[in-house]
Amino acid sequence: NRTGCVGLKICKAVLVGDVAVGKTSLVNRFCHDVFDKDYKATIGVDFEVEKFSILNTPFTLQIWDTAGQERFKSIASSYYRGAHVVIVVFDMSDEGSIASISRWMEDATASSNNPLKFVVGAKKDLVSQAACRAVEERVLDIAQSLGAEYWSVSAKTGENVQSFSFRCVSLTFDAA
Ligand code: GDP
Ligand code: MG
């Protein structure tokens, strides 16, 4: 069984993925319903806290938004420790970011106890429907082999961001 959420009702969700794939934008759309087209690199780790009330139970989602360079640093594992949810984000318009999905998932889940896993394709608005389907076909296999659920989203248009977030929150809550 998954650990940590019971009693505390605070869940730690960690977002990882290559630099500039859209991690911070996804958090900003979800938490503040805003989008900024200008890139501001995340330095170290950002935190956001979202409070929910589910079935009259207070529930806090603590979101750790990382810089994207942790893979090359030895301190990485302290970011990931005790994560209940691991979200690997890649850029649907950038093939290169697909190649590192598995590595991110392996690194981020190494020091947590069986977290819920998601693979999220960001910037859906930048790809054609055909390209979107081609990417989804490839990445669904990768996600499945990692035991992760796959979602395509756009922080710019907001497409699927709420649906994905609610899915994430409700699965985490159910696991608590
Ligand atoms: P991070 O380094 O993974 O946190 O990436 P950011 O969230 O900072 O985004 C990097 C760049 O991609 C920024 O210029 C964003 O405006 C842009 N971006 C992020 N999400 C989207 C999206 O859904 N659609 C488009 N078109 N651009 C996006
Ligand atoms: Mg960032």
Side-chain angles (χ1 to χ4, degrees), residues 61-176:
L61 188 64
Q62 189 186 66
I63 305 166
W64 294 46
D65 176 18
T66 58
Q69 286 142 345
E70 308 74 50
R71 199 138 67 76
F72 312 101
K73 295 182 190 158
S74 53
I75 51 171
S77 63
S78 61
Y79 293 164
Y80 307 143
R81 192 161 299 128
H84 306 102
V85 183
V86 171
I87 302 165
V88 178
V89 183
F90 73 96
D91 179 343
M92 296 188 81
S93 68
D94 171 18
E95 290 275 318
S97 68
I98 299 176
S100 45
I101 292 171
S102 298
R103 276 289 304 279
W104 278 113
M105 189 62 88
E106 284 155 16
D107 286 2
T109 54
S111 40
S112 46
N113 183 14
N114 191 24
L116 282 170
K117 297 173 193 165
F118 291 93
V119 172
V120 174
K123 310 191 191 181
K124 186 171 191 280
D125 59 285
L126 289 183
V127 296
S128 69
Q129 271 188 28
C132 179
R133 273 196 300 275
V135 168
E136 284 174 346
E137 209 164 290
R138 272 180 67 193
V139 177
L140 267 172
D141 283 342
I142 298 172
Q144 203 162 33
S145 71
L146 295 168
E149 190 169 297
Y150 177 73
W151 284 77
S152 301
V153 305
S154 168
K156 184 176 181 180
T157 66
E159 184 179 354
N160 264 349
V161 173
Q162 287 301 326
S163 308
F164 163 64
S165 311
F166 287 144
R167 175 77 178 151
C168 192
V169 169
S170 63
L171 280 180
T172 314
F173 183 77
D174 286 346

Side-chain angles (χ1 to χ4, degrees), residues 20-25 35-37 39 123 125-126 154-156:
V21 291
K23 300 178 294 297
T24 301
S25 301
F35 176 74
D36 183 351
K37 65 175 174 35
Y39 180 53
K123 310 191 191 181
D125 59 285
L126 289 183
S154 168
K156 184 176 181 180

